[in-house]
Amino acid sequence: AGFTNVIHLICDNFPQYYLLVPGALNLVQSPSSYHKFIDMGVPKENLQIAGHWVSEPIVTNVEADSKARLDRIEKRKPKRLLLPIGGAGAQKNYTLSFIDLIKNKLKNGELHLFINAGDHANIFETLKTELAKQGINYHVVSDWNTLLDFCKTHSFDAKVESKIAPVTIFSYANYFEAFTTTDYLIRVSDILVTKPSELAFYPVPKLFIRRVGDHEAASAFRSMELGEGTTECREPEHAFEMVKLLTEQNQILQRMNECVIRNARDGIYDGAKNAVEMAMKLL
């Protein structure tokens, strides 16, 4: 295409040759990924560690949000779980089983579950049917302004804590809104329940559910390394046990938030900012 100064951001933590752009400055998110690429023969001048790719509002507020989560733990507030359905919608059956396992905790107010169904209309309909069958009350958010109002009303620094339905489903026709919603909801959630995708690098306590591709295992390992993610729960029953561990033994979730704060102070989550700074130096 005629470009001469190219910076390429690698999102995956499992090194593979096809992820690279020859001749470009390829930026990775972790030291382990860097060292493995070097072992594969990638020239050092074409490779550098930048840090994690994290959206600006999240990384800017990471310490304040983590301290708010610690305060919520101290006050024994109901835990808010955020479960985004990935781009392929592959977690449908796992999600339905997971809901069945936590239904009593949802009904008695111990947990609140936010599900970002994205633009998967079929999953949205399936979720509504399942929740109705289980007798679990739910609320639906399907437009951008309602999402913004929801996040404002339920923000950690809201002066009055508003009532939340046991389950809130977010569903959109627009892909951008579907994708971006997760970034907004992270800031009002206590635990992110996700497969080890790009979200594995976000600064929030994470409960990892079953991966879709084997390459994603390396991303879960990175989060565990940093102390802010669980092991990968291959089965819904394992995820349920992990939920009980995180919500009934506060010290574990406290430690995860403390690790997030420490990592943020060490610049671990500043990858996007660092990438822009590196690009500016090439001008």
Side-chain angles (χ1 to χ4, degrees):
F3 294 110
T4 54
N5 292 326
V6 177
I7 289 186
H8 174 53
L9 279 61
I10 298 177
C11 294
D12 202 343
N13 202 44
F14 183 72
Q16 300 176 80
Y17 286 114
Y18 83 91
L19 296 174
L20 299 164
V21 175
L25 177 57
N26 293 272
L27 302 182
V28 296
Q29 300 187 80
S30 72
S32 60
S33 180
Y34 175 84
H35 291 301
K36 288 176 183 175
F37 270 126
I38 292 295
D39 286 344
M40 290 162 59
V42 178
K44 291 182 180 179
E45 62 270 21
N46 294 127
L47 194 66
Q48 198 164 331
I49 305 169
H52 293 191
W53 320 131
V54 180
S55 301
E56 189 271 340
I58 294 177
V59 75
T60 300
N61 295 284
V62 60
E63 190 161 339
D65 289 346
S66 297
K67 288 179 178 178
R69 291 185 184 103
L70 286 168
D71 183 63
R72 286 173 53 77
I73 294 170
E74 187 71 25
K75 293 177 179 176
R76 299 188 176 276
K77 299 281 188 180
K79 302 300 185 296
R80 301 172 179 178
L81 308 183
L82 167 59
L83 199 164
I85 305 295
Q91 301 109 307
K92 182 176 74 171
N93 292 335
Y94 192 109
T95 299
L96 295 178
S97 298
F98 182 68
I99 291 172
D100 182 58
L101 290 166
I102 66 171
K103 62 185 177 185
N104 290 334
K105 288 182 176 291
L106 292 170
K107 289 179 179 179
N108 67 22
E110 287 182 63
L111 296 178
H112 296 297
L113 179 62
F114 305 154
I115 305 176
N116 182 10
D119 55 355
H120 302 293
N122 61 327
I123 293 179
F124 175 54
E125 294 302 324
T126 300
L127 286 169
K128 290 194 297 181
T129 300
E130 181 66 18
L131 291 170
K133 186 174 77 174
Q134 298 278 10
I136 302 171
N137 293 327
Y138 66 90
H139 174 62
V140 174
V141 173
S142 57
D143 68 86
W144 192 247
N145 288 332
T146 306
L147 166 70
L148 297 180
D149 184 62
F150 180 92
C151 292
K152 181 179 179 182
T153 302
H154 302 299
S155 68
F156 290 147
D157 58 1
K159 293 181 179 179
V160 178
E161 187 155 337
S162 301
K163 186 177 180 181
I164 309 179
V167 177
T168 307
I169 308 174
F170 299 81
S171 177
Y172 307 91
N174 180 289
Y175 174 77
F176 176 79
E177 293 176 354
F179 180 83
T180 310
T181 287
T182 297
D183 280 12
Y184 279 79
L185 292 177
I186 281 174
R187 296 201 56 214
V188 297
S189 302
D190 296 298
I191 303 168
L192 175 63
V193 182
T194 179
K195 72 185 183 74
S197 60
E198 292 84 355
L199 291 172
F201 299 90
Y202 272 54
V204 58
K206 290 174 286 289
L207 191 168
F208 288 117
I209 61 175
R210 185 169 58 222
R211 63 185 182 265
V212 174
D214 285 344
H215 65 283
E216 292 181 328
S219 299
F221 183 79
R222 170 61 174 167
S223 182
M224 290 171 59
E225 226 176 26
L226 293 171
E228 31 93 302
T230 69
T231 57
E232 181 190 348
C233 300
R234 300 284 291 167
E235 301 300 330
E237 292 77 11
H238 186 189
F240 178 53
E241 291 302 317
M242 196 62 72
V243 166
K244 291 194 290 185
L245 195 64
L246 293 175
T247 58
E248 295 172 7
Q249 299 185 32
N250 285 339
Q251 67 271 23
I252 299 175
L253 195 56
Q254 286 174 332
R255 193 178 307 119
M256 294 172 84
N257 279 291
E258 289 164 358
C259 286
V260 169
I261 292 172
R262 182 196 64 209
N263 297 334
R265 291 175 178 174
D266 288 343
I268 297 293
Y269 307 115
D270 291 337
K273 176 185 175 182
N274 293 336
V276 172
E277 290 177 352
M278 291 177 195
M280 296 301 292
K281 290 178 180 177
L282 296 178
L283 295 177

